PDB file of all heavy atoms in Angstrom:
ATOM      1  N   ILE A1587     -15.722  21.084   8.357  1.00  0.00           N
ATOM      2  CA  ILE A1587     -16.409  21.260   9.617  1.00  0.00           C
ATOM      3  C   ILE A1587     -15.902  22.509  10.230  1.00  0.00           C
ATOM      4  O   ILE A1587     -16.799  23.278  10.901  1.00  0.00           O
ATOM      5  CB  ILE A1587     -16.261  19.946  10.455  1.00  0.00           C
ATOM      6  CG1 ILE A1587     -17.015  18.743   9.956  1.00  0.00           C
ATOM      7  CG2 ILE A1587     -16.737  20.203  11.925  1.00  0.00           C
ATOM      8  CD1 ILE A1587     -16.674  17.477  10.519  1.00  0.00           C
ATOM      9  N   ALA A1588     -14.707  22.833  10.204  1.00  0.00           N
ATOM     10  CA  ALA A1588     -14.130  23.929  10.804  1.00  0.00           C
ATOM     11  C   ALA A1588     -14.723  25.191  10.210  1.00  0.00           C
ATOM     12  O   ALA A1588     -15.106  26.191  10.849  1.00  0.00           O
ATOM     13  CB  ALA A1588     -12.646  23.919  10.720  1.00  0.00           C
ATOM     14  N   VAL A1589     -14.785  25.211   8.864  1.00  0.00           N
ATOM     15  CA  VAL A1589     -15.353  26.313   8.161  1.00  0.00           C
ATOM     16  C   VAL A1589     -16.850  26.555   8.417  1.00  0.00           C
ATOM     17  O   VAL A1589     -17.333  27.670   8.582  1.00  0.00           O
ATOM     18  CB  VAL A1589     -15.202  26.186   6.626  1.00  0.00           C
ATOM     19  CG1 VAL A1589     -15.882  27.159   5.854  1.00  0.00           C
ATOM     20  CG2 VAL A1589     -13.653  26.197   6.263  1.00  0.00           C
ATOM     21  N   ASP A1590     -17.614  25.391   8.495  1.00  0.00           N
ATOM     22  CA  ASP A1590     -19.031  25.560   8.823  1.00  0.00           C
ATOM     23  C   ASP A1590     -19.206  26.155  10.239  1.00  0.00           C
ATOM     24  O   ASP A1590     -20.161  26.937  10.387  1.00  0.00           O
ATOM     25  CB  ASP A1590     -19.627  24.032   8.767  1.00  0.00           C
ATOM     26  CG  ASP A1590     -20.989  24.085   9.285  1.00  0.00           C
ATOM     27  OD1 ASP A1590     -21.859  24.449   8.335  1.00  0.00           O
ATOM     28  OD2 ASP A1590     -21.391  23.670  10.397  1.00  0.00           O
ATOM     29  N   ARG A1591     -18.355  25.648  11.196  1.00  0.00           N
ATOM     30  CA  ARG A1591     -18.502  26.245  12.656  1.00  0.00           C
ATOM     31  C   ARG A1591     -18.187  27.756  12.557  1.00  0.00           C
ATOM     32  O   ARG A1591     -18.750  28.545  13.272  1.00  0.00           O
ATOM     33  CB  ARG A1591     -17.692  25.373  13.585  1.00  0.00           C
ATOM     34  CG  ARG A1591     -18.204  23.980  13.741  1.00  0.00           C
ATOM     35  CD  ARG A1591     -17.348  23.334  14.727  1.00  0.00           C
ATOM     36  NE  ARG A1591     -18.190  22.025  15.043  1.00  0.00           N
ATOM     37  CZ  ARG A1591     -17.546  21.180  15.897  1.00  0.00           C
ATOM     38  NH1 ARG A1591     -16.439  21.409  16.704  1.00  0.00           N
ATOM     39  NH2 ARG A1591     -18.159  19.978  16.184  1.00  0.00           N
ATOM     40  N   TYR A1592     -17.157  28.059  11.881  1.00  0.00           N
ATOM     41  CA  TYR A1592     -16.791  29.479  11.790  1.00  0.00           C
ATOM     42  C   TYR A1592     -17.894  30.392  11.169  1.00  0.00           C
ATOM     43  O   TYR A1592     -18.096  31.401  11.745  1.00  0.00           O
ATOM     44  CB  TYR A1592     -15.459  29.609  10.897  1.00  0.00           C
ATOM     45  CG  TYR A1592     -14.914  31.002  10.749  1.00  0.00           C
ATOM     46  CD1 TYR A1592     -14.057  31.394  11.755  1.00  0.00           C
ATOM     47  CD2 TYR A1592     -15.227  31.817   9.737  1.00  0.00           C
ATOM     48  CE1 TYR A1592     -13.395  32.605  11.700  1.00  0.00           C
ATOM     49  CE2 TYR A1592     -14.713  33.088   9.737  1.00  0.00           C
ATOM     50  CZ  TYR A1592     -13.778  33.568  10.657  1.00  0.00           C
ATOM     51  OH  TYR A1592     -13.264  34.713  10.585  1.00  0.00           O
ATOM     52  N   VAL A1593     -18.389  29.871  10.160  1.00  0.00           N
ATOM     53  CA  VAL A1593     -19.624  30.607   9.523  1.00  0.00           C
ATOM     54  C   VAL A1593     -20.724  30.740  10.542  1.00  0.00           C
ATOM     55  O   VAL A1593     -21.361  31.809  10.679  1.00  0.00           O
ATOM     56  CB  VAL A1593     -20.057  30.103   8.218  1.00  0.00           C
ATOM     57  CG1 VAL A1593     -21.189  30.802   7.643  1.00  0.00           C
ATOM     58  CG2 VAL A1593     -18.934  30.062   7.225  1.00  0.00           C
ATOM     59  N   SER A1594     -21.087  29.760  11.265  1.00  0.00           N
ATOM     60  CA  SER A1594     -22.265  29.784  12.195  1.00  0.00           C
ATOM     61  C   SER A1594     -21.990  30.678  13.332  1.00  0.00           C
ATOM     62  O   SER A1594     -22.827  31.186  13.891  1.00  0.00           O
ATOM     63  CB  SER A1594     -22.477  28.381  12.663  1.00  0.00           C
ATOM     64  OG  SER A1594     -21.366  27.928  13.616  1.00  0.00           O
ATOM     65  N   ILE A1595     -20.710  31.034  13.643  1.00  0.00           N
ATOM     66  CA  ILE A1595     -20.402  31.971  14.801  1.00  0.00           C
ATOM     67  C   ILE A1595     -20.245  33.268  14.172  1.00  0.00           C
ATOM     68  O   ILE A1595     -20.810  34.315  14.795  1.00  0.00           O
ATOM     69  CB  ILE A1595     -19.084  31.519  15.382  1.00  0.00           C
ATOM     70  CG1 ILE A1595     -19.362  30.241  16.201  1.00  0.00           C
ATOM     71  CG2 ILE A1595     -18.555  32.557  16.443  1.00  0.00           C
ATOM     72  CD1 ILE A1595     -18.037  29.674  16.862  1.00  0.00           C
ATOM     73  N   PHE A1596     -19.520  33.566  13.151  1.00  0.00           N
ATOM     74  CA  PHE A1596     -19.208  35.007  12.596  1.00  0.00           C
ATOM     75  C   PHE A1596     -20.332  35.557  11.758  1.00  0.00           C
ATOM     76  O   PHE A1596     -20.376  36.733  11.570  1.00  0.00           O
ATOM     77  CB  PHE A1596     -17.886  35.108  12.054  1.00  0.00           C
ATOM     78  CG  PHE A1596     -16.675  34.903  12.989  1.00  0.00           C
ATOM     79  CD1 PHE A1596     -16.314  33.772  13.438  1.00  0.00           C
ATOM     80  CD2 PHE A1596     -16.152  36.174  13.503  1.00  0.00           C
ATOM     81  CE1 PHE A1596     -15.076  33.704  14.259  1.00  0.00           C
ATOM     82  CE2 PHE A1596     -15.207  36.055  14.379  1.00  0.00           C
ATOM     83  CZ  PHE A1596     -14.685  34.867  14.764  1.00  0.00           C
ATOM     84  N   TYR A1597     -21.144  34.603  11.088  1.00  0.00           N
ATOM     85  CA  TYR A1597     -22.235  35.046  10.300  1.00  0.00           C
ATOM     86  C   TYR A1597     -23.552  34.394  10.820  1.00  0.00           C
ATOM     87  O   TYR A1597     -24.209  33.795   9.891  1.00  0.00           O
ATOM     88  CB  TYR A1597     -21.899  34.814   8.901  1.00  0.00           C
ATOM     89  CG  TYR A1597     -20.565  35.433   8.426  1.00  0.00           C
ATOM     90  CD1 TYR A1597     -19.399  34.624   8.485  1.00  0.00           C
ATOM     91  CD2 TYR A1597     -20.526  36.713   7.960  1.00  0.00           C
ATOM     92  CE1 TYR A1597     -18.188  35.174   8.043  1.00  0.00           C
ATOM     93  CE2 TYR A1597     -19.436  37.256   7.577  1.00  0.00           C
ATOM     94  CZ  TYR A1597     -18.214  36.564   7.579  1.00  0.00           C
ATOM     95  OH  TYR A1597     -16.978  37.148   7.140  1.00  0.00           O
ATOM     96  N   ALA A1598     -23.709  34.479  12.128  1.00  0.00           N
ATOM     97  CA  ALA A1598     -24.917  33.640  12.665  1.00  0.00           C
ATOM     98  C   ALA A1598     -26.170  34.030  11.971  1.00  0.00           C
ATOM     99  O   ALA A1598     -27.051  33.150  11.721  1.00  0.00           O
ATOM    100  CB  ALA A1598     -24.950  33.887  14.113  1.00  0.00           C
ATOM    101  N   LEU A1599     -26.517  35.328  11.726  1.00  0.00           N
ATOM    102  CA  LEU A1599     -27.795  35.779  11.168  1.00  0.00           C
ATOM    103  C   LEU A1599     -27.843  35.360   9.687  1.00  0.00           C
ATOM    104  O   LEU A1599     -29.099  35.184   9.183  1.00  0.00           O
ATOM    105  CB  LEU A1599     -28.008  37.250  11.397  1.00  0.00           C
ATOM    106  CG  LEU A1599     -28.036  37.813  12.834  1.00  0.00           C
ATOM    107  CD1 LEU A1599     -28.201  39.266  12.745  1.00  0.00           C
ATOM    108  CD2 LEU A1599     -29.143  36.972  13.535  1.00  0.00           C
ATOM    109  N   ARG A1600     -26.868  35.175   8.977  1.00  0.00           N
ATOM    110  CA  ARG A1600     -26.861  34.838   7.563  1.00  0.00           C
ATOM    111  C   ARG A1600     -26.507  33.436   7.394  1.00  0.00           C
ATOM    112  O   ARG A1600     -26.356  33.009   6.258  1.00  0.00           O
ATOM    113  CB  ARG A1600     -26.026  35.800   6.885  1.00  0.00           C
ATOM    114  CG  ARG A1600     -26.260  37.213   6.902  1.00  0.00           C
ATOM    115  CD  ARG A1600     -25.191  38.054   6.412  1.00  0.00           C
ATOM    116  NE  ARG A1600     -24.798  37.607   4.971  1.00  0.00           N
ATOM    117  CZ  ARG A1600     -23.576  37.827   4.377  1.00  0.00           C
ATOM    118  NH1 ARG A1600     -22.605  38.442   5.006  1.00  0.00           N
ATOM    119  NH2 ARG A1600     -23.332  37.357   3.085  1.00  0.00           N
TER     120      ARG A1600
END
Side-chain angles (χ1 to χ4, degrees):
I1587 291 172
V1589 172
D1590 177 79
R1591 292 184 174 182
Y1592 183 86
V1593 174
S1594 69
I1595 290 176
F1596 284 87
Y1597 303 93
L1599 297 179
R1600 299 172 50 204

